[in-house]
Amino acid sequence: MKAKKKKENIRKENYLHLILVLVVVIFINIVGSFYSTRFDLTAEKRYSLSDETKKILKNLDDIVYFKVYLEGDFPSGFKRLRNSFRELLDELRAYNSNIEYEFINPSESADPKERNNTYKLLMEKGLNPTTLRVDNEKGVSQQIIFPGCILTYKSEKAPIELLQNSNPGLSPEVALNNSIQNLEFLIASNLKKIAKPFKKKVGFLQGHGELSINDARSFLLRIQEDYSVTDVNLNENITSLSTRLGNDSSGYKVKNKFDALIVAQPEKPFSEKDKFILDQYIMHGGKILWLVNPVFAKMDSIQHAESTVGINNDDNLGDMFFKYGMRLNNELVQDVNCLPIPLTTGYVGDQPSVEFFPWPYFPLVKPASDHPIVKNLNLVKTEFPGSIDILPKAGAKITPLLTTSSKTKTVISPALISLSITRDKLDETKYKSGKKIIAALLEGHVESVFKNRLPAIIEEENIIDYKDKCDTAAMILVADGNIIINQYGNGGKMPYPVGYDRFTRRTFGNGDFALNALNYLTDGPGLISLRSREVTIRSLDRAKVVKDKLYYQVINTVLPLIILLIFGLAHFIYRKRKYTKIG
């Protein structure tokens, strides 16, 4: 009787425990429906969104729909890209329930005609295909995939390429990893672009022999997706870059008209008044992307002759850069790591025989640091670049962005430029000048180049709000004004993308660099800092996998079952003995 009563008490306790657990689970779910938290235990915090991304998500008040065309049976690297993107979309949806997505296989149809129509439609929408080499049991085959998506928000649509261009020397695995690292930056920047109510204003300076609209057409078209771009000519007009806000006892107050200014390859001297206007634009917080050639040289000059002379580009800006903390050297930089150029070496019948030769005056420069502007950036092609020296200034932080390789040499202006150097193999022992800085970022405190020396023509103006320093300055100086020039095809009618070289048919990182630079200047490190995120590749030891494949298969499949079986038997024996004693 006592044993029976004891069994009933145990049964009641079990029921109470069950009810208590159910109550706790229900309570946690109710609380969780109002409050949620997420834990990211990965070393690189790959599942944690940045504050900038969360801020963008907070302002999305309608459905954001992603049509992702990265689905199907493809190599593991692209599966990892797909899975990483799916995880990112889930993370975005956790912060904003308006995020919706769909993964589509564009090659799903068995009808070749229907597949080709789908491919054509996707390309018309702005997505580019990638052809993969696939090794399988049947041999080697080719597979077309579209590693991208179409983002839709309200009435706006934007194509997004998930697979970013990589440096030519990178392995496919590293290239895919770089694409995965940039996913959040890529999506956040596109969300910001498609949802923002207005565009920031960028001035494209003219009037001093700067690049024309046609010279930089591809780059200007690209940035017009994010910015309102306007040609601006100073004309010694003190208010060409600023707006008067009224005056008080100390004089007029002004506000800059542009969020950033692009000064691209000026070839004529700036007057002191125009230079003052630029200086005061900076002193009032204006940001400038300087693309300046210290030495004037053109390939056009040696198209019909074997040589030309590079001469100093007297733009009258050197004292400004020096005052701010950077010096442009009047020299041309040659680099062993350079772009080849096509030269006619003879004729076969009436057809010219063309060969490619290294041209050290066109260095291929690379990121100088892990700064977000140049993180994971492709090589950037340059044409007759100079070099930059950094001059330490109190309160100013100057960061090198692009450098040459260590195998360089310099030619002081005036410099003889001759095609004769292509006749012999480059003698690397003569290239001993070391790395040269081609682009640098300045941030922080700068002083006006006109401090204590205002020109008389300026003092006569009664609408200036003169400042002799700025503590929040930001500018980028590039010792090559050619980096945003686009080449033309189709008889000079079709501009190629900026950074594309029509002779080698390679696309370099010129456009990405210039756009990143502009984004950083106008928005600061917020969004673009996402480019610094790293996702570590934890690759398997392939030799060990091949050698001990069966062993690891047993460990990962059979061992967990054995452990589970042992636990189940132990639990069964324990309960059997416990209740046998009671009986």
Side-chain angles (χ1 to χ4, degrees):
M1 191 72 178
K2 288 183 179 181
K4 186 176 180 181
K5 191 172 182 180
K6 196 168 185 178
K7 281 185 178 181
E8 289 179 356
N9 290 336
I10 291 173
R11 190 180 295 110
K12 288 179 181 179
E13 286 181 11
N14 290 338
Y15 284 139
L16 287 173
H17 288 159
L18 178 61
I19 292 170
L20 182 61
V21 169
L22 289 174
V23 169
V24 171
V25 169
I26 293 171
F27 176 75
I28 291 174
N29 276 274
I30 293 173
V31 172
S33 65
F34 295 98
Y35 304 97
S36 64
T37 186
R38 301 166 69 84
F39 299 96
D40 186 353
L41 303 180
T42 58
E44 54 276 282
K45 299 299 178 183
R46 68 175 66 182
Y47 304 118
S48 297
L49 298 179
S50 70
D51 291 337
E52 185 71 19
T53 302
K54 293 175 184 177
K55 181 180 176 182
I56 295 170
L57 290 172
K58 186 178 179 181
N59 294 325
L60 300 175
D61 57 0
D62 204 345
I63 297 296
V64 182
Y65 194 72
F66 291 85
K67 269 193 174 182
V68 189
Y69 295 93
L70 192 58
E71 188 60 84
D73 184 18
F74 33 70
S76 59
F78 283 90
K79 288 181 180 178
R80 194 162 69 90
L81 177 62
R82 176 197 62 194
N83 294 340
S84 297
F85 189 47
R86 192 192 300 272
E87 290 164 358
L88 173 62
L89 292 176
D90 287 336
E91 190 70 18
L92 296 175
R93 188 161 56 182
Y95 283 92
N96 190 325
S97 58
N98 285 325
I99 303 294
E100 296 183 4
Y101 64 83
E102 175 187 9
F103 278 75
I104 300 168
N105 181 1
S107 304
E108 187 175 16
S109 175
D111 183 0
K113 185 176 180 180
E114 186 175 343
R115 280 202 310 271
N116 289 333
N117 288 336
T118 301
Y119 297 161
K120 184 179 179 181
L121 182 62
L122 291 179
M123 286 188 283
E124 289 174 353
K125 290 182 177 180
L127 295 182
N128 295 314
T130 296
T131 303
L132 300 179
R133 174 190 168 97
V134 180
D135 297 320
N136 50 42
E137 297 177 354
K138 298 180 181 179
V140 179
S141 62
Q142 288 189 332
Q143 182 178 355
I144 296 177
I145 68 169
F146 284 81
C149 68
I150 302 295
L151 166 63
T152 303
Y153 179 71
K154 295 183 178 178
S155 60
E156 300 292 328
K157 291 188 177 183
I160 303 176
E161 298 281 358
L162 303 180
L163 181 63
Q164 300 296 289
N165 290 332
S166 59
N167 290 335
L170 294 181
S171 67
E173 187 176 32
V174 174
L176 279 165
N177 193 67
N178 288 345
S179 296
I180 291 171
Q181 289 177 168
N182 283 326
L183 281 178
E184 185 181 344
F185 169 74
L186 187 65
I187 298 307
S189 58
N190 275 277
L191 285 174
K192 184 176 182 179
K193 177 173 66 177
I194 205 170
K196 65 184 178 182
F198 61 90
K199 295 180 178 181
K200 292 192 174 183
K201 296 180 180 180
V202 172
F204 191 67
L205 197 65
Q206 298 286 280
H208 308 86
E210 291 91 349
L211 295 181
S212 69
I213 298 298
N214 285 332
D215 291 330
R217 181 173 297 279
S218 290
F219 176 66
L220 293 177
L221 287 174
R222 182 170 177 178
I223 66 174
Q224 281 172 359
E225 297 177 3
D226 301 300
Y227 300 97
S228 175
V229 184
T230 306
D231 288 349
V232 56
N233 199 317
L234 301 181
N235 286 328
E236 297 194 344
N237 180 356
I238 203 74
T239 59
S240 56
L241 300 180
S242 61
T243 301
R244 289 183 293 176
L245 299 178
N247 63 334
D248 55 25
S249 58
S250 62
Y252 280 93
K253 298 298 179 183
V254 300
K255 178 183 178 182
N256 287 334
K257 292 179 181 179
F258 301 98
D259 296 286
L261 196 64
I262 300 174
V263 182
Q265 205 183 90
E267 295 178 355
K268 296 178 182 178
F270 282 76
S271 68
E272 286 298 295
K273 191 168 184 180
D274 278 353
K275 194 161 65 173
F276 176 83
I277 295 169
L278 288 174
D279 176 83
Q280 287 303 295
Y281 172 77
I282 294 170
M283 295 305 116
H284 284 82
K287 319 301 182 185
I288 299 185
L289 174 59
W290 301 96
L291 308 173
V292 181
N293 286 87
V295 177
F296 178 81
K298 294 285 187 182
M299 280 300 291
D300 295 346
S301 303
I302 51 179
Q303 281 187 345
H304 305 292
E306 191 173 82
S307 63
T308 187
V309 176
I311 58 176
N312 286 350
N313 184 16
D314 184 18
D315 51 28
N316 195 28
L317 295 174
D319 57 339
M320 283 182 66
F321 299 141
F322 188 86
K323 182 72 173 181
Y324 300 154
M326 298 178 287
R327 178 171 55 216
L328 273 176
N329 297 310
N330 292 322
E331 63 186 17
L332 291 175
V333 177
Q334 297 184 41
D335 194 339
V336 170
N337 185 28
C338 59
L339 187 71
I341 60 172
L343 295 175
T344 301
T345 57
Y347 286 85
V348 178
D350 59 349
Q351 296 296 319
S353 177
V354 177
E355 295 183 33
F356 283 87
F357 295 89
W359 185 237
Y361 289 103
F362 285 6
L364 297 177
V365 298
K366 58 186 178 180
S369 64
D370 284 336
H371 192 278
I373 293 176
V374 292
K375 178 76 173 180
N376 298 327
L377 188 72
N378 297 357
L379 296 174
V380 174
K381 71 182 182 79
T382 61
E383 298 181 11
F384 300 113
S387 64
I388 300 170
D389 287 340
I390 292 176
L391 311 173
K393 294 284 184 177
K397 178 184 178 183
I398 303 178
T399 306
L401 296 177
L402 296 174
T403 63
T404 62
S405 75
S406 59
K407 297 179 179 179
T408 65
K409 70 176 182 178
T410 58
V411 184
I412 304 298
S413 174
L416 178 65
I417 303 167
S418 175
L419 292 174
S420 62
I421 62 174
T422 63
R423 292 174 185 156
D424 301 314
K425 184 177 180 180
L426 292 180
D427 185 358
E428 296 188 11
T429 61
K430 296 181 179 179
Y431 292 76
K432 298 179 179 179
S433 298
K435 292 182 178 180
K436 297 294 180 180
I437 299 173
I438 305 300
L441 163 70
L442 183 150
E443 299 172 284
H445 175 83
V446 295
E447 290 187 346
S448 169
V449 70
F450 291 93
K451 185 177 182 179
N452 301 324
R453 67 173 192 92
L454 272 181
I457 192 172
I458 300 299
E459 290 182 333
E460 294 173 2
E461 297 278 357
N462 64 350
I463 57 172
I464 65 172
D465 178 17
Y466 173 71
K467 291 187 177 183
D468 62 4
K469 67 178 181 179
C470 176
D471 293 323
T472 58
M475 67 182 77
I476 293 172
L477 175 61
V478 184
D480 179 19
N482 299 291
I483 67 165
I484 62 170
I485 289 180
N486 51 260
Q487 297 175 345
Y488 277 82
N490 192 23
K493 297 178 181 179
M494 181 186 72
Y496 288 117
V498 59
Y500 178 79
D501 181 63
R502 64 190 177 95
F503 300 115
T504 60
R505 297 182 180 179
R506 291 171 60 184
T507 300
F508 296 93
N510 298 49
D512 291 335
F513 168 74
L515 182 58
N516 290 344
L518 199 57
N519 287 342
Y520 189 87
L521 291 175
T522 56
D523 291 330
L527 185 60
I528 201 172
S529 64
L530 295 177
R531 291 176 55 84
S532 298
R533 175 168 292 188
E534 293 187 2
V535 178
T536 305
I537 301 177
R538 296 180 173 87
S539 302
L540 297 175
D541 185 332
R542 298 193 178 186
K544 198 170 185 180
V545 168
V546 172
K547 180 181 177 182
D548 302 321
K549 182 177 180 180
L550 181 61
Y551 170 76
Y552 288 109
Q553 285 178 333
V554 171
I555 291 294
N556 284 282
T557 57
V558 179
L559 185 59
L561 295 175
I562 293 175
I563 294 173
L564 187 62
L565 182 62
I566 292 172
F567 177 80
L569 288 172
H571 185 66
F572 174 76
I573 293 171
Y574 167 76
R575 288 182 60 85
K576 185 175 182 182
R577 288 182 177 179
K578 178 180 178 181
Y579 291 115
T580 300
K581 288 180 181 179
I582 292 175

